[in-house]
Amino acid sequence: MTSTTFPPSPPEDASWSRYFGFNTDAKVIGIQYIVVAFFFFLIGGLLAMIIRGELITPAADLVDRTVYNGIYTMHGTIMLFLFIFPVLNGLNNLLIPTMIGAPDMAFPRLNAVAFWLVPIFGTLLIASFFVPGGPAYSGWWSYPPVSTQNPLGHFVNGQGLWLTAVALSGVSSIMGAVNFVTTILRMRAPGMGFFRMPVFCWTALAAQSLQLIGLPALTGGAIMLLMDLNFGTSFYQPEGGGDPVLYQHFFWFYSHPAVYVIILPVFGIFSELFPVYSRKPLFGYVYVCLASFIIVGLGLVVWVHHFFSSGVAQWMRNLFMFTTMLIAVPTGVKVFAWLGTIWRGKLRLTTPMLFCLGGLFNFVFAGITGIMLATVPVDIHVSNTYFVVGHFHYVIYGAAVMGIFAAIYHWFPKFIGRMPYEGLGKLHFLLTFVGANLNFLPMHPLGLMGMPRRVSSYDPEFAFWNVLASLGAFLLGVSIIPFLLNMVSAWVRGPKATHNPWNAIGLEWLLPSPPPEDNFGEHVPTVISRPYGYGTGEPLVDHQAEIERELTLQEAST
Amino acid sequence: MTATVDSNRPDSNTAHPKHNLTGFIIFLCSESVVFLTFFSGFAILKTSALNWLPAGVAGLEWRMPLINTVVLVSSSGTIWLAERCMAKGNLLGFRAFWLVTMALGAYFLYGQAVEWSGLQFGFTSGTFGGTFYLLTGFHGLHVATGVFLMGLMLVKSFIPQNYAGGEQGVQATSLFWHFVDVIWIILFVLIYVWQRT
Ligand code: HEM
Ligand SMILES: [Cu+2]
């Protein structure tokens, strides 16, 4: 029967209520992840506004100093564990099955459990604001000995809740990683060998492998910290023969790879979107794929660059300075591949493309400051100053969050079935790009001048740059308004999206928008060429023309 | 040639259950890093300690743990035999060897408990006591989990036809058991054999 090559019919209108329950459809879970992540993004953002509000004047006049410590700790923790990771897992859920032609994830129930842990540990973390002594106040990295103080002596304390929440986050992430890796390895469409797989799946595979290797080290280290905090052991207490730097090793053995868990999928997004909006194949596809795994390998052996200024041996400093600088090579390969892709392309400056271009710009800037920080003599000088804060916000907000926005605008039509508004999107981009640079650029001169991070008052000579940074932060706060407006109104009454509004190439664009629950079901098309055949006229799958015609007919009849 | 997808093709992506083993192996690789963390923490703390042993403690008695080691290693053998029986369709033999494995696992836990109760140092006796209880405790938790999983699989084996076509749960449990065994050997060498400071 040849009709099996025809695309599946679009879903009947499913009810809203499925988003509020235990649903095992990866597309529902993906949206659950993203919406919950943005809820926490607003909370984390509110805390950031308080931080920048405090720092707009040199004196500590807005919040109490100890409250301030709790606020920046929770800001960092929420943004990483409750915003970035969940939002990326949301994208993984939406994109991986549809891009490889799988009906769902390999373990749909495990997937749902992994998601539901997020609101649970999120609540736990937020609850720590209300326990005696307040939330954890030792920074997102929770170094001992600060993190092993429990002055009030309560068994339930902010730091303990922090550790429990982070441990649950780890459990959730491992469940997710097992699922994503199994799905990518075992459930690809016929004909989709590894070198026909979209780069986003390559980077997801790379990032999730890092989770699997790195995260258990943090879990182990955190267990020992919890024992020190609540059960009287002395793993990290020098007075009991312990070693506080040991914790820093455990923490960064995971948390450096964690920054690649964040940025790799964003590299994937860039690699997907630049070809679409330049109408050219991805330059150096194979090298971009392989570079992801070189980054995985190197990313596992650079962690000491985060504590050059702690008690580490000189040979270690030299070694890790060297490996850190090596990472710039595969990263550079990718940057040149993107530049090669947009070079002389027919650029379409849509909202997603603008976010990608802005993100790439910010990423290159952050890469340069990263190399500066990797240089031991420079790092000793600026470690623990605002220079570091500037560096990583350029990467995480400037590149990663902007890339995530690009992905949301790009794939919104596919999974919601409606088009977001371009005008609001461009306004969102402008505010974000200007706001981020205004917020984070001044942190570099501040750091070079010697302003330490994590202080609520500072010398008046730093005031000028701090005022600028605070203004940028408020601009970023405002930037979220057009975004939310856009999302809500487009979801409710945006124009209906066709199956392929951007003229993109990829299995997900051969599905109706939104795709039916089991995606292609039994009728997965056979992949016959590499992805990104823009401008080559080469079909991606067998019977592509038939499938497209059928999809267009479907759309015309509804 | 038509592009019709044959749902019987070997890698048909609709047959979920056979991914279970893949997923479980990936999980075990990840889990081993937790142990690696504890092992490296132990080694670093031990080599850098000024006074490794708490006052009044001469070292660790190794005879009892050695018996435990023999017990655990042989249980890896019996679980292998159990799996062989099942592969041949001999469900009775499977249950017998499976039970023996469970008994050996339980004996190991008993031996561990006896050892713990006879020690003159506690969890908070410096990094020596801390790492000792952390490592043996965390490993013991895995042994207990293994025994529990085996019990589960044993019960499942009484569901008619359940184990007719090869059971991934059994394979996974057995893999887990070998994993627990290998971890113990490393742990034994680190804690009991490497006593000199
Ligand atoms: C060329 C690439 C990069 C290099 C060479 C680099 C280098 C460094 C170095 C040496 C530090 C430590 C500074 C210090 O604490 O004294 C650092 C901090 C940091 N980097 Fe990067 N980095 C790079 C890319 C990234 C990426 C892609 C991300 C995230 C997506 C990232 C996130 C961070 C974070 C979060 C911190 C600070 C964490 C903290 O102290 O709280 N970096 N980077
Ligand atoms: Cu790093």
Side-chain angles (χ1 to χ4, degrees):
Chain A
M1 211 174 84
T2 48
S3 72
T4 50
T5 55
F6 290 155
S9 42
E12 306 90 62
D13 265 339
S15 90
W16 277 81
S17 59
R18 72 202 153 118
Y19 289 111
F20 295 93
F22 191 88
N23 193 304
T24 55
D25 177 2
K27 290 182 292 299
V28 173
I29 294 178
I31 290 169
Q32 287 176 321
Y33 261 120
I34 293 175
V35 172
V36 167
F38 272 99
F39 170 76
F40 284 110
F41 183 63
L42 292 182
I43 298 183
L46 192 72
L47 296 177
M49 295 298 109
I50 301 176
I51 294 174
R52 287 312 324 175
E54 170 65 76
L55 292 178
I56 204 166
T57 57
D61 42 15
L62 185 64
V63 291
D64 192 67
R65 280 172 201 273
T66 47
V67 174
Y68 185 81
N69 293 344
I71 287 177
Y72 68 67
T73 300
M74 294 299 268
H75 162 75
T77 310
I78 289 174
M79 285 306 197
L80 283 168
F81 295 103
L82 285 158
F83 169 60
I84 290 266
F85 287 148
V87 84
L88 287 173
N89 273 355
L91 289 176
N92 282 340
N93 263 295
L94 295 176
L95 296 177
I96 290 173
T98 50
M99 280 183 159
I100 64 173
D104 202 330
M105 300 287 291
F107 311 112
R109 256 182 308 160
L110 187 71
N111 198 17
V113 174
F115 162 71
W116 279 103
L117 279 174
V118 175
I120 292 176
F121 73 77
T123 312
L124 206 62
L125 197 66
I126 303 291
S128 69
F129 274 107
F130 306 103
V131 297
Y137 45 76
S138 48
W140 82 279
W141 57 30
S142 277
Y143 282 178
V146 182
S147 57
T148 47
Q149 311 300 315
N150 185 4
L152 297 184
H154 290 288
F155 189 76
V156 175
N157 54 67
Q159 189 68 46
L161 287 176
W162 186 95
L163 281 165
T164 318
V166 168
L168 285 178
S169 154
V171 172
S172 160
S173 295
I174 289 291
M175 287 177 171
V178 167
N179 219 338
F180 297 129
V181 170
T182 311
T183 308
I184 294 175
L185 292 183
R186 300 295 300 267
M187 295 172 72
R188 296 190 309 279
M192 187 183 273
F194 278 111
F195 287 102
R196 282 186 185 165
M197 194 163 75
V199 174
F200 182 81
C201 297
W202 271 93
T203 54
L205 187 64
Q208 298 300 321
S209 312
L210 276 177
Q211 288 280 49
L212 290 167
I213 303 171
L215 195 46
L218 176 64
T219 310
I223 291 175
M224 289 160 77
L225 192 64
L226 190 66
M227 297 297 162
D228 275 8
L229 177 71
N230 274 353
F231 299 96
T233 54
S234 54
F235 298 118
Y236 306 128
Q237 317 297 325
E239 63 275 23
D243 179 1
V245 180
L246 185 61
Y247 176 82
Q248 302 187 11
H249 281 282
F250 291 154
F251 182 83
W252 288 111
F253 182 81
Y254 170 59
S255 294
H256 177 80
V259 308
Y260 286 99
V261 174
I262 296 168
I263 206 69
L264 276 167
V266 176
F267 289 170
I269 292 166
F270 288 168
S271 309
E272 295 295 326
L273 269 56
F274 281 131
V276 179
Y277 298 108
S278 314
R279 310 313 299 166
K280 276 179 61 197
L282 179 65
F283 186 83
Y285 165 75
V286 172
Y287 299 99
V288 175
C289 298
L290 293 179
S292 307
F293 275 87
I294 297 175
I295 290 178
V296 168
L298 287 175
L300 284 166
V301 290
V302 299
W303 75 90
V304 174
H305 68 216
H306 288 278
F307 49 102
F308 282 148
S309 53
S310 301
V312 289
Q314 188 60 38
W315 66 265
M316 256 197 213
R317 289 174 169 174
N318 297 344
L319 178 69
F320 282 88
M321 169 163 90
F322 178 70
T323 52
T324 304
M325 295 203 167
L326 269 188
I327 276 218
V329 177
T331 313
V333 165
K334 293 200 173 200
V335 171
F336 283 112
W338 300 322
L339 292 179
T341 307
I342 52 184
W343 185 253
R344 300 195 165 193
K346 290 199 199 82
L347 298 201
R348 284 190 290 166
L349 295 180
T350 57
T351 307
M353 181 62 163
L354 287 174
F355 270 104
C356 279
L357 289 170
L360 180 57
F361 173 86
N362 289 337
F363 179 73
V364 170
F365 185 86
I368 295 169
T369 55
I371 295 289
M372 289 171 72
L373 285 169
T375 320
V376 174
V378 178
D379 184 71
I380 301 284
H381 184 68
V382 294
S383 191
N384 260 318
T385 70
Y386 259 89
F387 193 85
V388 176
V389 182
H391 157 71
F392 73 74
H393 279 93
Y394 255 87
V395 202
I396 297 189
Y397 207 116
V401 176
M402 295 218 5
I404 289 166
F405 280 134
I408 289 178
Y409 283 106
H410 181 72
W411 279 290
F412 186 94
K414 175 50 61 190
F415 293 100
I416 305 298
R418 291 174 187 275
M419 300 297 292
Y421 299 100
E422 274 294 301
L424 278 174
K426 287 188 172 134
L427 177 64
H428 176 207
F429 164 75
L430 195 72
L431 289 173
T432 309
F433 188 72
V434 175
N437 280 286
L438 189 59
N439 190 349
F440 304 127
L441 192 68
M443 293 182 176
H444 297 86
L446 279 175
L448 292 175
M449 288 158 75
M451 178 172 165
R453 65 195 283 197
R454 297 177 171 158
V455 290
S456 64
S457 61
Y458 52 83
D459 193 282
E461 68 164 320
F462 302 138
F464 170 71
W465 294 110
N466 270 300
V467 171
L468 282 190
S470 289
L471 292 180
F474 301 146
L475 211 56
L476 278 182
V478 173
S479 78
I480 218 65
I481 296 171
F483 171 68
L484 291 181
L485 257 180
N486 201 348
M487 291 296 114
V488 172
S489 55
W491 196 332
V492 175
R493 32 153 262 209
K496 283 246 189 269
T498 61
H499 69 279
N500 191 358
W502 313 116
N503 260 320
I505 297 178
L507 281 186
E508 79 270 31
W509 302 106
L510 293 174
L511 284 164
S513 304
E517 182 167 340
D518 59 350
N519 300 337
F520 294 99
E522 295 284 302
H523 315 310
V524 189
T526 302
V527 177
I528 54 171
S529 68
R530 285 230 171 124
Y532 318 112
Y534 295 96
T536 62
E538 215 181 318
L540 178 69
V541 299
D542 260 341
H543 299 265
Q544 173 144 340
E546 277 168 60
I547 298 176
E548 304 245 24
R549 196 163 47 231
E550 202 58 27
L551 281 165
T552 317
L553 276 178
Q554 258 176 19
E555 277 153 14
S557 67
T558 48
Chain B
M1 204 194 97
T2 69
T4 311
V5 174
D6 173 8
S7 58
N8 296 326
R9 73 195 150 79
D11 61 352
S12 167
N13 53 21
T14 44
H16 284 166
K18 71 179 186 320
H19 303 317
N20 288 355
L21 202 59
T22 315
F24 193 73
I25 292 171
I26 294 171
F27 168 75
L28 275 190
C29 293
S30 182
E31 185 73 358
S32 64
V33 181
V34 185
F35 282 104
L36 203 70
T37 310
F38 288 155
F39 289 156
S40 55
F42 171 83
I44 290 168
L45 288 173
K46 176 164 177 167
T47 47
S48 62
L50 294 177
N51 305 302
W52 176 242
L53 295 173
V57 178
L60 286 166
E61 163 62 43
W62 55 268
R63 257 168 288 261
M64 177 92 179
L66 187 63
I67 298 174
N68 250 353
T69 308
V70 173
V71 166
L72 204 61
V73 171
S74 40
S75 76
S76 252
T78 56
I79 202 165
W80 180 76
L81 287 171
E83 259 196 301
R84 285 256 315 224
C85 286
M86 202 183 59
K88 289 195 191 127
N90 175 2
L91 215 52
L92 225 62
F94 161 72
R95 288 190 193 121
F97 280 117
W98 202 248
L99 262 174
V100 173
T101 315
M102 284 176 72
L104 291 173
Y107 178 82
F108 176 91
L109 286 174
Y110 166 76
Q112 184 83 70
V114 171
E115 190 203 357
W116 275 20
S117 61
L119 295 173
Q120 322 94 311
F121 60 90
F123 192 31
T124 54
S125 309
T127 45
F128 171 80
T131 50
F132 174 82
Y133 284 100
L134 185 71
L135 279 172
T136 52
F138 195 64
H139 176 266
L141 214 59
H142 281 72
V143 176
T145 311
V147 174
F148 171 77
L149 284 178
M150 279 189 254
L152 217 63
M153 294 304 140
L154 190 66
V155 173
K156 276 176 122 185
S157 81
F158 286 99
I159 302 173
Q161 289 305 310
N162 199 26
Y163 285 3
E167 210 339 280
Q168 292 214 356
V170 170
Q171 281 172 302
T173 309
S174 147
L175 208 64
F176 183 71
W177 197 250
H178 296 310
F179 168 79
V180 168
D181 195 9
V182 171
I183 294 286
W184 174 258
I185 294 171
I186 302 172
L187 201 157
F188 183 78
V189 171
L190 272 182
I191 293 192
Y192 296 97
V193 179
W194 178 35
Q195 294 238 16
R196 244 168 11 120
T197 44

